[in-house]
């Protein structure tokens, strides 16, 4: 039995990037042999084992053939006679199909090393199209390695277009698409993920509500990434030109976590108000009320950040002084002594009215910067 390091670990080592996860392929073994050596089996669909000490994943070399639609329906052969070359051939990209043996020798039948040198993401074989998730994976790798100058090979792009046109992308589960999307959003150049999907006509499959590429939202997303903004801010920036209904439809389809969906929907509702509406004292306090700025100040700050990224690319002037005024207004409104209002003898619904009035008075001086 022979073991080889494969996939992302070999690729990232060759790219001089940190290796976070090591995957191994095992040739000439059976599940029985692996279990006898103390490995534990984890794979449900195909034989994958965890090393007894390192807990790295060791998969028996296998071939896969599609026998149905969607992600399911693969016929897998993981018998001891499957060769390393056969295992590498079922993989998505040449840069992901390089193996390294125990002596550090590379086994590279599909010329991944050359594609790494040429900065090309190229499919290994036509079997690429058997897994529609690969369209999103290529877009993710393109955005992750954008800073290194990588691009998608024209033939791979053509294949991705064919896959998008076939309607197969819609059959993926939301969880898998969201995983690729959220990972891509957190990369250095997340806008490239959407550019590649757009170029392969795949944007409509899961992101129909997003504006066509190019658009200021994608530029704003690049700025947010440049600032190391968190995931929810990046998604909110992307949705800031949509209606709240479109944002809801998009993020429900993607099954995005609540923290992401909440900020994006709020941002869709109020980005333009924050950027350039004339705000009177009552508008400001209503804005704080509607977004629960009292109990969720960090989320309100994220809303201000989101509007800031959009303002910077749509050439809205004076946003930083508007933002400053809103921050000061929030601080002043927070200083209103609610307990003292209650203690003064106001009762029932009048308490709410009195607090609102006191807060309006507190923020009034900041309205000058918000016209
Ligand atoms: N793979 C594939 N097709 C997929 C998923 C995975 O061919 N849809 C293969 C690729 O050879 C890949 C390897 O399985 O390199 C491991 O997959 P995974 O751990 O998902 O990705 P990595 O390439 O390790 O990338 P990342 O750094 O993003 O984890």
């Amino acid at each position: 039995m022979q073991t080889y390091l494969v996939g992302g670990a070999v690729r990232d080592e060759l790219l001089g990037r940190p290796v976070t996860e090591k995957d191994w392929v095992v040739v000439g073994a059976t599940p029985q042999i692996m279990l006898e050596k103390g490995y534990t089996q984890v794979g449900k669909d195909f034989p994958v084992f965890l090393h007894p000490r390192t807990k790295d994943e060791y998969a028996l070399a296998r071939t896969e053939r599609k026998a149905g639609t969607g992600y399911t329906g693969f016929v897998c052969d993981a018998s001891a006679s499957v060769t390393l070359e056969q295992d590498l051939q079922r993989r998505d990209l040449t840069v992901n199909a390089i193996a390294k043996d125990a002596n550090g020798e590379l086994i590279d039948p599909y010329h991944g090393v050359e594609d790494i040198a040429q900065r090309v993401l190229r499919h290994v074989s036509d079997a690429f199209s058997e897994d529609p998730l690969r369209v999103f994976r290529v877009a993710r790798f393109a955005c992750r390695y954008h800073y290194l100058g990588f691009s998608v090979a024209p033939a791979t792009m053509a294949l991705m277009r064919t896959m998008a046109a076939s309607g197969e992308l819609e059959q993926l589960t939301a969880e898998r698409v969201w995983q690729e999307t959220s990972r891509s959003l957190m990369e250095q150049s997340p806008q490239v993920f959407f550019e590649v999907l757009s170029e392969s006509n795949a944007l409509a499959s899961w992101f129909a509500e997003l504006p066509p590429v190019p658009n200021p939202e994608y530029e704003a997303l690049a700025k947010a990434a440049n600032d190391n903004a968190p995931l929810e801010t990046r998604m909110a920036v992307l949705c800031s030109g949509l209606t709240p209904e479109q944002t809801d439809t998009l993020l429900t389809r993607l099954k995005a976590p609540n923290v992401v969906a909440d900020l994006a929907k709020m941002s869709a509702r109020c980005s333009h108000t924050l950027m350039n509406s004339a705000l009177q004292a009552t508008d400001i306090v209503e804005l704080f009320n509607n977004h629960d700025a009292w109990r969720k100040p960090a989320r309100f700050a994220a809303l201000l950040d989101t509007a800031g990224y959009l303002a910077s690319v749509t050439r809205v002037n004076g946003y930083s002084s508007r933002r400053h005024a809103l921050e000061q207004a929030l601080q002043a409104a927070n200083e209103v002594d609610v307990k003292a209002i209650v203690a003064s003898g106001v009762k029932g619904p009048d308490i709410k009215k009195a607090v609102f009035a006191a807060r309006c008075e507190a923020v009034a001086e900041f309205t000058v910067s918000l016209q």
Side-chain angles (χ1 to χ4, degrees), residues 326-363:
L326 283 166
E327 283 166 342
Q328 285 183 306
L330 182 57
Q331 199 182 339
N334 262 322
E335 281 163 16
V336 165
D337 191 344
V338 178
K339 275 192 194 139
I341 293 174
V342 176
S344 74
V346 187
K347 295 259 177 303
D350 288 340
I351 298 177
K352 215 172 159 189
K353 282 187 201 154
V355 171
F356 187 79
R359 285 173 170 164
C360 288
E361 204 177 313
V363 304

Side-chain angles (χ1 to χ4, degrees), residues 7-8 11 23 91-92 96 131 134 137 140 144 183:
R11 176 198 69 220
D23 292 321
R91 293 172 184 267
D92 52 1
N96 289 341
D131 178 2
R134 289 173 168 172
R137 279 175 60 88
R140 174 164 65 83
R144 186 196 281 174
R183 289 182 76 183

Side-chain angles (χ1 to χ4, degrees), residues 44-100:
K44 275 190 280 127
D45 305 329
F46 35 79
V48 180
F49 300 83
L50 294 186
H51 188 278
R53 187 176 43 79
T54 64
K55 307 291 177 213
D56 283 351
E57 278 191 8
Y58 285 70
L60 297 189
R62 66 178 190 269
T63 59
E64 280 173 348
R65 206 168 30 80
K66 190 141 178 197
T69 57
Y71 181 59
T72 52
F74 278 93
V75 178
C76 164
D77 173 13
S79 59
S81 62
V82 175
T83 65
L84 177 64
E85 283 71 15
Q86 284 175 315
D87 181 276
L88 294 175
Q89 197 191 8
R90 71 167 169 86
R91 293 172 184 267
D92 52 1
L93 298 171
T94 61
V95 298
N96 289 341
I98 311 168
K100 191 164 125 174

Side-chain angles (χ1 to χ4, degrees), residues 1 8 85 118 135 173 184 223 242-243 258 260 263 279 311 329 344:
M1 129 179 175
E85 283 71 15
Q118 303 288 327
V135 170
T173 62
S184 300
K223 290 207 172 210
L242 310 185
T243 64
N258 288 345
V260 173
L263 188 71
L279 297 176
S344 74

